Amino acid sequence: MSRGEAAGRLPRGLWLAVPVLALLAGCSDSRHEADGAMRMAQAPAPAPFVPAAREGSTAKLAYRHDLTVGLGPDRVAPHFAAARDRCLDAAATCTLLSSSIRDGGGTRQPQAQVQVRLPHAAVAPYVASVTAPLPGEAAGDVVLIEQATRAEDLTASIADTGRRLAQLNDYRTRLTALAEKPDNRAEDLIKIAGELAQVQSQIEEAEGTRRGLDERVDTEIVTVDFRTSRARAGAFAPVQEVWARSGPILGESAASALRFTVASLPWLPIVLFAALLLRLVWRIRRKRAHPARVQSEP
């Protein structure tokens, strides 16, 4: 076999290798996802939620709590509705900041999130309710996968806002006393009135900032993510899940293959032209390198 024939057959081998490589890559990705899911399922659950201690502390701290709750795929929506409705029913002590849910479709897993603002005393009861099983569920059906607490120190910001308010109020008092003098001219009164309006606007803005800071210190934000968990399914959970969702997975794989085929059609003429051009260049170079051998061939 000549080098020219070997070079001509090499692309065919590459074309046969492409589907095999794609299949191996897909299997590798699936195995990687399954291993990650099993590691998450076998990991020990975090300790129960403990409220942050504030007794004896002079710092002005704003707390945020992030929790991830693992559930079965069909239990995400009921727990999401229960967490949202609990906050809405206790409107006097709970403020619903955001809520969202994504149904599982195709290869996606159902997922939901609820974010609320609560006073200090209501945080622990709310967390206990959203991490507890609903009626008809077992204790192991709800798993606290992850929890985190962050605190932002607002002591300096509150002190700065208080000093600014004191200065603005003092300035407004002096302007008011100046405006009440009997010997003021009309143009002086106009200037004082304009300055008073600006100072009043700045005071209202500073008071709004202080109210926002006080609200952050007096309350806590709790964010709860509801996600699917395989902790109850055992070692064959990935196999059972893939088998249960084999129809949507097959449909999406077929759609991806069809999408790739349709997207490749406009490039076929360009690829064929490039292949012909390369073959022509190769034959010209071969003819120049071996002119005598080419002429002797029939």
mmCIF file of all heavy atoms in Angstrom, residues 101-125:
data_model
loop_
_atom_site.group_PDB
_atom_site.id
_atom_site.type_symbol
_atom_site.label_atom_id
_atom_site.label_comp_id
_atom_site.label_asym_id
_atom_site.label_seq_id
_atom_site.Cartn_x
_atom_site.Cartn_y
_atom_site.Cartn_z
ATOM 1 N N ILE A 101 -40.105 28.320 41.559
ATOM 2 C CA ILE A 101 -40.090 26.864 41.434
ATOM 3 C C ILE A 101 -39.896 26.512 39.970
ATOM 4 O O ILE A 101 -40.404 27.198 39.080
ATOM 5 C CB ILE A 101 -41.386 26.232 41.995
ATOM 6 C CG1 ILE A 101 -41.298 24.703 41.955
ATOM 7 C CG2 ILE A 101 -42.609 26.737 41.264
ATOM 8 C CD1 ILE A 101 -42.430 24.009 42.696
ATOM 9 N N ARG A 102 -39.139 25.455 39.738
ATOM 10 C CA ARG A 102 -38.900 24.953 38.390
ATOM 11 C C ARG A 102 -39.264 23.480 38.369
ATOM 12 O O ARG A 102 -38.666 22.673 39.063
ATOM 13 C CB ARG A 102 -37.423 25.128 38.002
ATOM 14 C CG ARG A 102 -37.108 24.716 36.560
ATOM 15 C CD ARG A 102 -35.607 24.672 36.326
ATOM 16 N NE ARG A 102 -35.003 23.544 37.017
ATOM 17 C CZ ARG A 102 -33.692 23.315 37.046
ATOM 18 N NH1 ARG A 102 -32.863 24.167 36.478
ATOM 19 N NH2 ARG A 102 -33.198 22.254 37.679
ATOM 20 N N ASP A 103 -40.267 23.133 37.555
ATOM 21 C CA ASP A 103 -40.680 21.741 37.445
ATOM 22 C C ASP A 103 -39.638 20.946 36.680
ATOM 23 O O ASP A 103 -38.964 21.457 35.787
ATOM 24 C CB ASP A 103 -42.032 21.645 36.731
ATOM 25 C CG ASP A 103 -43.149 22.244 37.567
ATOM 26 O OD1 ASP A 103 -42.998 22.275 38.793
ATOM 27 O OD2 ASP A 103 -44.159 22.693 36.985
ATOM 28 N N GLY A 104 -39.526 19.666 37.045
ATOM 29 C CA GLY A 104 -38.607 18.790 36.328
ATOM 30 C C GLY A 104 -39.180 18.414 34.979
ATOM 31 O O GLY A 104 -40.292 17.923 34.865
ATOM 32 N N GLY A 105 -38.422 18.664 33.938
ATOM 33 C CA GLY A 105 -38.828 18.318 32.583
ATOM 34 C C GLY A 105 -37.632 17.864 31.792
ATOM 35 O O GLY A 105 -36.568 18.483 31.848
ATOM 36 N N GLY A 106 -37.767 16.749 31.063
ATOM 37 C CA GLY A 106 -36.629 16.249 30.310
ATOM 38 C C GLY A 106 -35.577 15.721 31.261
ATOM 39 O O GLY A 106 -35.813 14.875 32.109
ATOM 40 N N THR A 107 -34.365 16.213 31.129
ATOM 41 C CA THR A 107 -33.261 15.786 31.987
ATOM 42 C C THR A 107 -33.089 16.697 33.193
ATOM 43 O O THR A 107 -32.171 16.498 33.980
ATOM 44 C CB THR A 107 -31.959 15.770 31.178
ATOM 45 O OG1 THR A 107 -31.715 17.085 30.642
ATOM 46 C CG2 THR A 107 -32.040 14.781 30.032
ATOM 47 N N ARG A 108 -33.943 17.692 33.365
ATOM 48 C CA ARG A 108 -33.811 18.624 34.489
ATOM 49 C C ARG A 108 -34.468 18.056 35.743
ATOM 50 O O ARG A 108 -35.444 17.320 35.667
ATOM 51 C CB ARG A 108 -34.429 19.974 34.146
ATOM 52 C CG ARG A 108 -33.791 20.680 32.970
ATOM 53 C CD ARG A 108 -34.397 22.059 32.797
ATOM 54 N NE ARG A 108 -35.855 22.006 32.736
ATOM 55 C CZ ARG A 108 -36.630 23.084 32.652
ATOM 56 N NH1 ARG A 108 -36.079 24.288 32.642
ATOM 57 N NH2 ARG A 108 -37.942 22.960 32.584
ATOM 58 N N GLN A 109 -33.922 18.450 36.872
ATOM 59 C CA GLN A 109 -34.488 18.054 38.157
ATOM 60 C C GLN A 109 -35.359 19.184 38.699
ATOM 61 O O GLN A 109 -35.042 20.358 38.501
ATOM 62 C CB GLN A 109 -33.359 17.764 39.160
ATOM 63 C CG GLN A 109 -32.499 16.572 38.794
ATOM 64 C CD GLN A 109 -33.226 15.259 39.028
ATOM 65 O OE1 GLN A 109 -34.341 15.242 39.556
ATOM 66 N NE2 GLN A 109 -32.610 14.168 38.631
ATOM 67 N N PRO A 110 -36.461 18.867 39.398
ATOM 68 C CA PRO A 110 -37.280 19.931 40.006
ATOM 69 C C PRO A 110 -36.482 20.669 41.078
ATOM 70 O O PRO A 110 -35.689 20.073 41.802
ATOM 71 C CB PRO A 110 -38.472 19.171 40.581
ATOM 72 C CG PRO A 110 -37.996 17.767 40.739
ATOM 73 C CD PRO A 110 -37.006 17.523 39.657
ATOM 74 N N GLN A 111 -36.714 21.956 41.176
ATOM 75 C CA GLN A 111 -35.982 22.790 42.121
ATOM 76 C C GLN A 111 -36.851 23.974 42.504
ATOM 77 O O GLN A 111 -37.597 24.502 41.686
ATOM 78 C CB GLN A 111 -34.664 23.270 41.501
ATOM 79 C CG GLN A 111 -33.771 24.056 42.442
ATOM 80 C CD GLN A 111 -32.439 24.413 41.795
ATOM 81 O OE1 GLN A 111 -32.111 23.913 40.723
ATOM 82 N NE2 GLN A 111 -31.679 25.267 42.436
ATOM 83 N N ALA A 112 -36.764 24.411 43.764
ATOM 84 C CA ALA A 112 -37.569 25.536 44.253
ATOM 85 C C ALA A 112 -36.756 26.311 45.279
ATOM 86 O O ALA A 112 -35.808 25.788 45.878
ATOM 87 C CB ALA A 112 -38.881 25.049 44.867
ATOM 88 N N GLN A 113 -37.138 27.576 45.472
ATOM 89 C CA GLN A 113 -36.456 28.434 46.440
ATOM 90 C C GLN A 113 -37.466 29.391 47.064
ATOM 91 O O GLN A 113 -38.322 29.935 46.374
ATOM 92 C CB GLN A 113 -35.329 29.226 45.788
ATOM 93 C CG GLN A 113 -34.532 30.078 46.765
ATOM 94 C CD GLN A 113 -33.486 30.946 46.088
ATOM 95 O OE1 GLN A 113 -33.774 32.063 45.668
ATOM 96 N NE2 GLN A 113 -32.277 30.425 45.963
ATOM 97 N N VAL A 114 -37.325 29.594 48.363
ATOM 98 C CA VAL A 114 -38.148 30.539 49.118
ATOM 99 C C VAL A 114 -37.208 31.398 49.959
ATOM 100 O O VAL A 114 -36.331 30.864 50.651
ATOM 101 C CB VAL A 114 -39.164 29.819 50.017
ATOM 102 C CG1 VAL A 114 -39.923 30.831 50.872
ATOM 103 C CG2 VAL A 114 -40.148 29.013 49.175
ATOM 104 N N GLN A 115 -37.389 32.722 49.894
ATOM 105 C CA GLN A 115 -36.578 33.644 50.685
ATOM 106 C C GLN A 115 -37.510 34.539 51.497
ATOM 107 O O GLN A 115 -38.401 35.185 50.930
ATOM 108 C CB GLN A 115 -35.673 34.491 49.798
ATOM 109 C CG GLN A 115 -34.701 35.369 50.580
ATOM 110 C CD GLN A 115 -33.771 36.143 49.667
ATOM 111 O OE1 GLN A 115 -34.179 37.128 49.056
ATOM 112 N NE2 GLN A 115 -32.526 35.708 49.584
ATOM 113 N N VAL A 116 -37.304 34.580 52.815
ATOM 114 C CA VAL A 116 -38.187 35.320 53.708
ATOM 115 C C VAL A 116 -37.348 36.165 54.659
ATOM 116 O O VAL A 116 -36.159 35.908 54.879
ATOM 117 C CB VAL A 116 -39.100 34.364 54.512
ATOM 118 C CG1 VAL A 116 -39.973 33.536 53.585
ATOM 119 C CG2 VAL A 116 -38.271 33.449 55.411
ATOM 120 N N ARG A 117 -38.009 37.183 55.234
ATOM 121 C CA ARG A 117 -37.412 38.013 56.281
ATOM 122 C C ARG A 117 -38.221 37.817 57.557
ATOM 123 O O ARG A 117 -39.445 37.973 57.548
ATOM 124 C CB ARG A 117 -37.418 39.488 55.874
ATOM 125 C CG ARG A 117 -36.734 40.396 56.896
ATOM 126 C CD ARG A 117 -36.910 41.855 56.518
ATOM 127 N NE ARG A 117 -36.261 42.180 55.265
ATOM 128 C CZ ARG A 117 -34.962 42.468 55.141
ATOM 129 N NH1 ARG A 117 -34.196 42.480 56.228
ATOM 130 N NH2 ARG A 117 -34.459 42.761 53.972
ATOM 131 N N LEU A 118 -37.518 37.488 58.654
ATOM 132 C CA LEU A 118 -38.190 37.134 59.899
ATOM 133 C C LEU A 118 -37.554 37.866 61.071
ATOM 134 O O LEU A 118 -36.353 38.154 61.050
ATOM 135 C CB LEU A 118 -38.077 35.625 60.165
ATOM 136 C CG LEU A 118 -38.775 34.685 59.171
ATOM 137 C CD1 LEU A 118 -38.226 33.284 59.326
ATOM 138 C CD2 LEU A 118 -40.275 34.695 59.412
ATOM 139 N N PRO A 119 -38.322 38.145 62.122
ATOM 140 C CA PRO A 119 -37.708 38.620 63.369
ATOM 141 C C PRO A 119 -36.903 37.499 64.012
ATOM 142 O O PRO A 119 -37.076 36.322 63.697
ATOM 143 C CB PRO A 119 -38.917 39.031 64.214
ATOM 144 C CG PRO A 119 -40.060 38.282 63.641
ATOM 145 C CD PRO A 119 -39.788 38.122 62.184
ATOM 146 N N HIS A 120 -36.035 37.887 64.945
ATOM 147 C CA HIS A 120 -35.113 36.908 65.523
ATOM 148 C C HIS A 120 -35.841 35.721 66.137
ATOM 149 O O HIS A 120 -35.452 34.572 65.920
ATOM 150 C CB HIS A 120 -34.238 37.583 66.584
ATOM 151 C CG HIS A 120 -33.459 38.747 66.060
ATOM 152 N ND1 HIS A 120 -32.703 38.678 64.906
ATOM 153 C CD2 HIS A 120 -33.310 40.021 66.528
ATOM 154 C CE1 HIS A 120 -32.118 39.848 64.687
ATOM 155 N NE2 HIS A 120 -32.477 40.680 65.652
ATOM 156 N N ALA A 121 -36.892 35.976 66.874
ATOM 157 C CA ALA A 121 -37.572 34.896 67.594
ATOM 158 C C ALA A 121 -38.296 33.925 66.671
ATOM 159 O O ALA A 121 -38.590 32.795 67.068
ATOM 160 C CB ALA A 121 -38.568 35.484 68.599
ATOM 161 N N ALA A 122 -38.590 34.341 65.436
ATOM 162 C CA ALA A 122 -39.349 33.484 64.521
ATOM 163 C C ALA A 122 -38.474 32.677 63.576
ATOM 164 O O ALA A 122 -38.988 31.860 62.806
ATOM 165 C CB ALA A 122 -40.317 34.341 63.694
ATOM 166 N N VAL A 123 -37.159 32.868 63.635
ATOM 167 C CA VAL A 123 -36.276 32.177 62.692
ATOM 168 C C VAL A 123 -36.240 30.681 62.971
ATOM 169 O O VAL A 123 -36.457 29.858 62.073
ATOM 170 C CB VAL A 123 -34.862 32.785 62.751
ATOM 171 C CG1 VAL A 123 -33.896 31.960 61.905
ATOM 172 C CG2 VAL A 123 -34.886 34.215 62.255
ATOM 173 N N ALA A 124 -35.940 30.311 64.203
ATOM 174 C CA ALA A 124 -35.829 28.887 64.538
ATOM 175 C C ALA A 124 -37.128 28.122 64.285
ATOM 176 O O ALA A 124 -37.104 27.027 63.707
ATOM 177 C CB ALA A 124 -35.369 28.720 65.990
ATOM 178 N N PRO A 125 -38.315 28.617 64.694
ATOM 179 C CA PRO A 125 -39.551 27.880 64.371
ATOM 180 C C PRO A 125 -39.785 27.733 62.874
ATOM 181 O O PRO A 125 -40.260 26.682 62.424
ATOM 182 C CB PRO A 125 -40.645 28.726 65.037
ATOM 183 C CG PRO A 125 -39.961 29.458 66.132
ATOM 184 C CD PRO A 125 -38.598 29.751 65.615
#
